[in-house]
Amino acid sequence: MAAPAAEAPAPVLPPARRKDADPARLQTSPLLPAAGWSDLPPDLVRRVADSLLAANDLDCYMDFRAVCSGWRAATDDPRSDPFDPRFRPRRWVILDDGDDLLLLNAATGRFLRKRIPLLRRYHVLAATPGGFFVLADRYPSRAACVFNPLTVVLIRFAAPVPTKKVAAATVVFGRSSWPTLTLNLLCNSPSKSYSATPDMESFQEKEVQLPIDCHISLKAVRGGVYADGGGAAQGFRHGVSVIFEIFDLIQSLHVHPSMFYAEDLPMAGHANDHTRFFIVEFGGEVLIVIKLQPCVKVFKMDIGSIVPVESIGSHAIFIGHHRCLAVDTDKFPSVESNCVYYVERLGSSAYICMYNLKDEKDERISAGAVDFVKLHELFILAAHRPFTIIQLLSSYSINARDS
């Protein structure tokens, strides 16, 4: 049988000939010089800068101005007017004040880690609820300073800080035609506060006259007063006046005022020690948060009255023995809305609890045996990193670091 004939190889096609380009199509208009980012119109640069200021992203605004000289010329320098309300930190929470600052914008949920070597040259006395640092010069003068960590603007005072330990501080900006700034300090003595403006030679000492046993409540209020010039509660004077107004509310809850505390977390199991209250700014309003046993009551300061609040909507409140903070749960998905988070102490440790205002349900949400362990004067998180936002905000509410 004959073998099949082999197939003939496929013919190799010749390479395609490239058509010559049409000389008419090669005639193009001369190239225009490429426009760089530095050539953006000034009005467009200002619009971008204003959007950063609207969210109080002051660190981004400073980085934006650092791009080029044209962008700096089109925007305002925070150092030229430290009283400008656009450049004040608002709703910034200082979670860690070590070598690297860990800050949180409670309004937007953005974290920021920032290193500021300048802080090593001063004693850090306190941090205000809005985000300012109150400093003291390391030299014998001990001159007070107010420092903005986001714009790195330092406002110096002529007056030295009091020798007593500073427990809390607020910075209040005046709203008159002539810009003013008042630094208020509350020291260890609960019946005394100190205030000064940058040009004063010394702090003015003020006596705080309160009803009997109510000075203990004032120390609880101090951490919740939101006074950076943009909140509804303005300084210690407002906090003191509120105490008089809520004194009747305390009695209506059948709780003796002396059972309110602020200096330390109570031991678990003692019902009479579980009562505490805070004042917190909430969307331009003033809320009074009262932790009873075993529930939490929320009231709103209205004109001439105090009314109960049954729901705080999509917000949550964190209370401790030093601070109180309201956050938008839409910005923090792991935080449940319409709830109040608080810390309960058990010996030298503590754990996190949550109270649901709608269901009136109180539960412990700790993942492990304990959330915090007390070391010296601070409650240290006992959980493994990374910490949850609930743990970080709870830590912020119960700890007040010294210099």
Side-chain angles (χ1 to χ4, degrees), residues 138-177:
R138 288 184 179 271
Y139 295 102
S141 65
R142 285 181 56 83
C145 301
V146 172
F147 178 67
N148 187 332
L150 300 174
T151 62
V152 202
V153 171
L154 187 72
I155 303 175
R156 298 182 180 275
F157 285 65
V161 297
T163 56
K164 297 180 180 180
K165 179 181 177 182
V166 176
T170 60
V171 175
V172 180
F173 290 85
R175 298 184 179 182
S176 60
S177 57

Short mmCIF file of all heavy atoms in Angstrom, two decimals, residues 138-177:
data_model
loop_
_atom_site.label_atom_id
_atom_site.label_comp_id
_atom_site.label_asym_id
_atom_site.label_seq_id
_atom_site.Cartn_x
_atom_site.Cartn_y
_atom_site.Cartn_z
N ARG A 138 9.80 75.46 79.73
CA ARG A 138 10.68 74.74 80.64
C ARG A 138 11.61 75.66 81.43
O ARG A 138 12.20 75.25 82.41
CB ARG A 138 11.53 73.72 79.86
CG ARG A 138 10.74 72.51 79.37
CD ARG A 138 11.64 71.50 78.70
NE ARG A 138 10.90 70.32 78.25
CZ ARG A 138 10.70 69.24 79.00
NH1 ARG A 138 11.16 69.21 80.24
NH2 ARG A 138 10.03 68.21 78.52
N TYR A 139 11.74 76.91 81.00
CA TYR A 139 12.58 77.85 81.72
C TYR A 139 11.89 78.24 83.03
O TYR A 139 10.69 78.00 83.22
CB TYR A 139 12.85 79.07 80.84
CG TYR A 139 13.66 78.75 79.61
CD1 TYR A 139 13.05 78.63 78.37
CD2 TYR A 139 15.04 78.54 79.71
CE1 TYR A 139 13.79 78.32 77.24
CE2 TYR A 139 15.78 78.23 78.58
CZ TYR A 139 15.15 78.12 77.35
OH TYR A 139 15.89 77.80 76.25
N PRO A 140 12.64 78.86 83.96
CA PRO A 140 12.03 79.24 85.25
C PRO A 140 10.80 80.10 85.14
O PRO A 140 9.98 80.14 86.05
CB PRO A 140 13.18 79.98 85.95
CG PRO A 140 14.43 79.42 85.35
CD PRO A 140 14.08 79.13 83.91
N SER A 141 10.62 80.80 84.03
CA SER A 141 9.44 81.66 83.89
C SER A 141 8.15 80.86 83.84
O SER A 141 7.10 81.35 84.23
CB SER A 141 9.56 82.50 82.62
OG SER A 141 9.55 81.67 81.47
N ARG A 142 8.20 79.62 83.38
CA ARG A 142 7.01 78.76 83.25
C ARG A 142 5.88 79.48 82.53
O ARG A 142 4.70 79.35 82.88
CB ARG A 142 6.54 78.26 84.63
CG ARG A 142 7.41 77.17 85.21
CD ARG A 142 6.90 76.70 86.55
NE ARG A 142 5.52 76.25 86.50
CZ ARG A 142 5.13 75.03 86.13
NH1 ARG A 142 6.04 74.15 85.77
NH2 ARG A 142 3.86 74.70 86.13
N ALA A 143 6.21 80.26 81.52
CA ALA A 143 5.19 80.99 80.77
C ALA A 143 4.25 80.02 80.07
O ALA A 143 4.68 79.00 79.52
CB ALA A 143 5.85 81.93 79.77
N ALA A 144 2.97 80.34 80.08
CA ALA A 144 1.97 79.48 79.46
C ALA A 144 1.96 79.66 77.95
O ALA A 144 2.28 80.74 77.43
CB ALA A 144 0.59 79.78 80.03
N CYS A 145 1.59 78.60 77.24
CA CYS A 145 1.47 78.64 75.79
C CYS A 145 0.27 77.80 75.38
O CYS A 145 -0.06 76.80 76.04
CB CYS A 145 2.72 78.09 75.10
SG CYS A 145 4.26 78.95 75.49
N VAL A 146 -0.36 78.19 74.31
CA VAL A 146 -1.43 77.40 73.68
C VAL A 146 -0.93 76.99 72.31
O VAL A 146 -0.56 77.83 71.49
CB VAL A 146 -2.73 78.21 73.58
CG1 VAL A 146 -3.77 77.44 72.77
CG2 VAL A 146 -3.29 78.50 74.98
N PHE A 147 -0.92 75.68 72.06
CA PHE A 147 -0.31 75.13 70.85
C PHE A 147 -1.34 74.39 70.03
O PHE A 147 -2.11 73.58 70.54
CB PHE A 147 0.83 74.19 71.24
CG PHE A 147 1.51 73.53 70.07
CD1 PHE A 147 2.25 74.27 69.17
CD2 PHE A 147 1.40 72.16 69.88
CE1 PHE A 147 2.88 73.67 68.09
CE2 PHE A 147 2.02 71.54 68.81
CZ PHE A 147 2.76 72.30 67.92
N ASN A 148 -1.36 74.72 68.73
CA ASN A 148 -2.22 74.04 67.78
C ASN A 148 -1.39 72.96 67.08
O ASN A 148 -0.53 73.27 66.26
CB ASN A 148 -2.77 75.03 66.76
CG ASN A 148 -3.81 74.42 65.82
OD1 ASN A 148 -3.79 73.23 65.55
ND2 ASN A 148 -4.71 75.25 65.33
N PRO A 149 -1.60 71.67 67.36
CA PRO A 149 -0.76 70.62 66.77
C PRO A 149 -0.96 70.43 65.28
O PRO A 149 -0.13 69.78 64.63
CB PRO A 149 -1.17 69.37 67.55
CG PRO A 149 -2.58 69.63 67.96
CD PRO A 149 -2.66 71.10 68.22
N LEU A 150 -2.03 70.97 64.71
CA LEU A 150 -2.31 70.76 63.29
C LEU A 150 -1.72 71.86 62.42
O LEU A 150 -1.29 71.60 61.30
CB LEU A 150 -3.83 70.68 63.08
CG LEU A 150 -4.52 69.54 63.83
CD1 LEU A 150 -6.02 69.63 63.66
CD2 LEU A 150 -4.03 68.19 63.34
N THR A 151 -1.70 73.08 62.93
CA THR A 151 -1.09 74.19 62.17
C THR A 151 0.28 74.57 62.70
O THR A 151 0.96 75.40 62.11
CB THR A 151 -2.00 75.43 62.21
OG1 THR A 151 -2.14 75.87 63.58
CG2 THR A 151 -3.37 75.11 61.64
N VAL A 152 0.68 73.96 63.85
CA VAL A 152 1.96 74.23 64.51
C VAL A 152 2.10 75.72 64.86
O VAL A 152 3.17 76.30 64.81
CB VAL A 152 3.16 73.76 63.65
CG1 VAL A 152 4.39 73.54 64.51
CG2 VAL A 152 2.84 72.47 62.91
N VAL A 153 0.98 76.34 65.21
CA VAL A 153 0.97 77.73 65.65
C VAL A 153 1.01 77.75 67.18
O VAL A 153 0.23 77.07 67.84
CB VAL A 153 -0.27 78.47 65.13
CG1 VAL A 153 -0.39 79.85 65.76
CG2 VAL A 153 -0.21 78.60 63.61
N LEU A 154 1.92 78.55 67.72
CA LEU A 154 2.12 78.65 69.16
C LEU A 154 1.76 80.06 69.62
O LEU A 154 2.33 81.04 69.14
CB LEU A 154 3.58 78.32 69.52
CG LEU A 154 3.92 78.22 71.00
CD1 LEU A 154 3.33 76.95 71.60
CD2 LEU A 154 5.43 78.24 71.20
N ILE A 155 0.81 80.17 70.54
CA ILE A 155 0.42 81.44 71.12
C ILE A 155 1.03 81.53 72.51
O ILE A 155 0.71 80.73 73.40
CB ILE A 155 -1.11 81.58 71.18
CG1 ILE A 155 -1.72 81.43 69.78
CG2 ILE A 155 -1.52 82.93 71.79
CD1 ILE A 155 -3.24 81.45 69.78
N ARG A 156 1.90 82.49 72.70
CA ARG A 156 2.61 82.63 73.97
C ARG A 156 1.86 83.57 74.91
O ARG A 156 1.26 84.55 74.49
CB ARG A 156 4.02 83.16 73.73
CG ARG A 156 4.88 82.21 72.89
CD ARG A 156 6.29 82.77 72.72
NE ARG A 156 7.11 81.88 71.92
CZ ARG A 156 7.78 80.84 72.40
NH1 ARG A 156 7.72 80.58 73.70
NH2 ARG A 156 8.51 80.08 71.61
N PHE A 157 1.92 83.26 76.20
CA PHE A 157 1.34 84.08 77.25
C PHE A 157 2.46 84.69 78.09
O PHE A 157 3.53 84.08 78.27
CB PHE A 157 0.43 83.25 78.15
CG PHE A 157 -0.90 82.91 77.54
CD1 PHE A 157 -0.98 82.09 76.42
CD2 PHE A 157 -2.07 83.41 78.06
CE1 PHE A 157 -2.18 81.77 75.85
CE2 PHE A 157 -3.30 83.10 77.50
CZ PHE A 157 -3.36 82.28 76.39
N ALA A 158 2.21 85.88 78.60
CA ALA A 158 3.18 86.51 79.48
C ALA A 158 3.13 85.92 80.89
O ALA A 158 4.13 85.92 81.61
CB ALA A 158 2.94 88.02 79.54
N ALA A 159 1.98 85.40 81.28
CA ALA A 159 1.78 84.91 82.65
C ALA A 159 2.34 83.50 82.82
O ALA A 159 2.17 82.65 81.94
CB ALA A 159 0.30 84.93 82.99
N PRO A 160 2.99 83.22 83.95
CA PRO A 160 3.40 81.84 84.25
C PRO A 160 2.21 81.02 84.72
O PRO A 160 1.25 81.57 85.30
CB PRO A 160 4.42 82.02 85.37
CG PRO A 160 4.01 83.29 86.05
CD PRO A 160 3.44 84.17 84.97
N VAL A 161 2.24 79.73 84.47
CA VAL A 161 1.14 78.87 84.88
C VAL A 161 1.18 78.69 86.40
O VAL A 161 2.24 78.81 87.02
CB VAL A 161 1.21 77.50 84.18
CG1 VAL A 161 1.06 77.65 82.68
CG2 VAL A 161 2.51 76.79 84.52
N PRO A 162 0.04 78.45 87.04
CA PRO A 162 0.04 78.21 88.49
C PRO A 162 0.90 77.00 88.85
O PRO A 162 1.10 76.09 88.05
CB PRO A 162 -1.45 77.96 88.80
CG PRO A 162 -2.19 78.59 87.67
CD PRO A 162 -1.31 78.45 86.46
N THR A 163 1.41 77.03 90.06
CA THR A 163 2.28 75.94 90.50
C THR A 163 1.51 74.67 90.82
O THR A 163 2.09 73.60 90.91
CB THR A 163 3.08 76.38 91.74
OG1 THR A 163 2.16 76.81 92.76
CG2 THR A 163 4.02 77.53 91.40
N LYS A 164 0.21 74.78 90.98
CA LYS A 164 -0.60 73.60 91.27
C LYS A 164 -0.76 72.75 90.02
O LYS A 164 -0.65 73.24 88.90
CB LYS A 164 -1.97 74.01 91.80
CG LYS A 164 -1.92 74.78 93.11
CD LYS A 164 -3.31 75.14 93.58
CE LYS A 164 -3.26 75.91 94.90
NZ LYS A 164 -4.62 76.27 95.37
N LYS A 165 -1.02 71.49 90.25
CA LYS A 165 -1.22 70.57 89.13
C LYS A 165 -2.49 70.92 88.37
O LYS A 165 -3.56 71.09 88.95
CB LYS A 165 -1.31 69.13 89.65
CG LYS A 165 -1.54 68.09 88.56
CD LYS A 165 -1.63 66.70 89.18
CE LYS A 165 -1.94 65.67 88.12
NZ LYS A 165 -2.07 64.31 88.71
N VAL A 166 -2.37 71.04 87.05
CA VAL A 166 -3.51 71.38 86.19
C VAL A 166 -4.33 70.13 85.93
O VAL A 166 -3.82 69.13 85.43
CB VAL A 166 -3.03 72.01 84.87
CG1 VAL A 166 -4.22 72.28 83.95
CG2 VAL A 166 -2.27 73.30 85.14
N ALA A 167 -5.61 70.20 86.28
CA ALA A 167 -6.50 69.06 86.08
C ALA A 167 -7.23 69.12 84.75
O ALA A 167 -7.51 68.08 84.15
CB ALA A 167 -7.51 68.99 87.22
N ALA A 168 -7.55 70.32 84.27
CA ALA A 168 -8.27 70.47 83.01
C ALA A 168 -8.06 71.88 82.50
O ALA A 168 -7.70 72.79 83.26
CB ALA A 168 -9.76 70.17 83.18
N ALA A 169 -8.26 72.07 81.20
CA ALA A 169 -8.05 73.38 80.59
C ALA A 169 -9.02 73.58 79.44
O ALA A 169 -9.42 72.62 78.77
CB ALA A 169 -6.61 73.51 80.09
N THR A 170 -9.39 74.84 79.23
CA THR A 170 -10.20 75.20 78.07
C THR A 170 -9.62 76.47 77.46
O THR A 170 -9.00 77.28 78.13
CB THR A 170 -11.68 75.47 78.44
OG1 THR A 170 -11.75 76.54 79.37
CG2 THR A 170 -12.32 74.23 79.02
N VAL A 171 -9.82 76.61 76.16
CA VAL A 171 -9.40 77.80 75.42
C VAL A 171 -10.65 78.41 74.82
O VAL A 171 -11.36 77.76 74.04
CB VAL A 171 -8.38 77.45 74.32
CG1 VAL A 171 -8.05 78.67 73.49
CG2 VAL A 171 -7.11 76.87 74.94
N VAL A 172 -10.94 79.65 75.17
CA VAL A 172 -12.15 80.33 74.73
C VAL A 172 -11.76 81.55 73.91
O VAL A 172 -11.01 82.41 74.39
CB VAL A 172 -13.04 80.75 75.92
CG1 VAL A 172 -14.30 81.43 75.42
CG2 VAL A 172 -13.40 79.53 76.76
N PHE A 173 -12.23 81.63 72.69
CA PHE A 173 -11.98 82.76 71.80
C PHE A 173 -13.15 83.73 71.89
O PHE A 173 -14.31 83.31 71.80
CB PHE A 173 -11.78 82.30 70.35
CG PHE A 173 -10.50 81.55 70.14
CD1 PHE A 173 -10.43 80.19 70.38
CD2 PHE A 173 -9.36 82.20 69.68
CE1 PHE A 173 -9.27 79.49 70.18
CE2 PHE A 173 -8.19 81.51 69.47
CZ PHE A 173 -8.13 80.15 69.73
N GLY A 174 -12.83 85.02 72.04
CA GLY A 174 -13.86 86.03 72.09
C GLY A 174 -14.49 86.25 70.74
O GLY A 174 -13.88 86.01 69.70
N ARG A 175 -15.71 86.73 70.74
CA ARG A 175 -16.46 86.96 69.50
C ARG A 175 -16.69 88.43 69.24
O ARG A 175 -17.52 88.80 68.44
CB ARG A 175 -17.80 86.23 69.57
CG ARG A 175 -17.64 84.71 69.71
CD ARG A 175 -18.98 84.01 69.66
NE ARG A 175 -18.82 82.57 69.76
CZ ARG A 175 -19.83 81.71 69.70
NH1 ARG A 175 -21.07 82.16 69.57
NH2 ARG A 175 -19.61 80.41 69.80
N SER A 176 -15.96 89.31 69.94
CA SER A 176 -16.10 90.75 69.72
C SER A 176 -15.31 91.17 68.49
O SER A 176 -14.63 90.36 67.84
CB SER A 176 -15.61 91.51 70.95
OG SER A 176 -14.25 91.20 71.20
N SER A 177 -15.41 92.45 68.15
CA SER A 177 -14.68 92.96 66.99
C SER A 177 -13.18 92.87 67.19
O SER A 177 -12.42 92.77 66.23
CB SER A 177 -15.10 94.41 66.72
OG SER A 177 -14.86 95.21 67.87
#
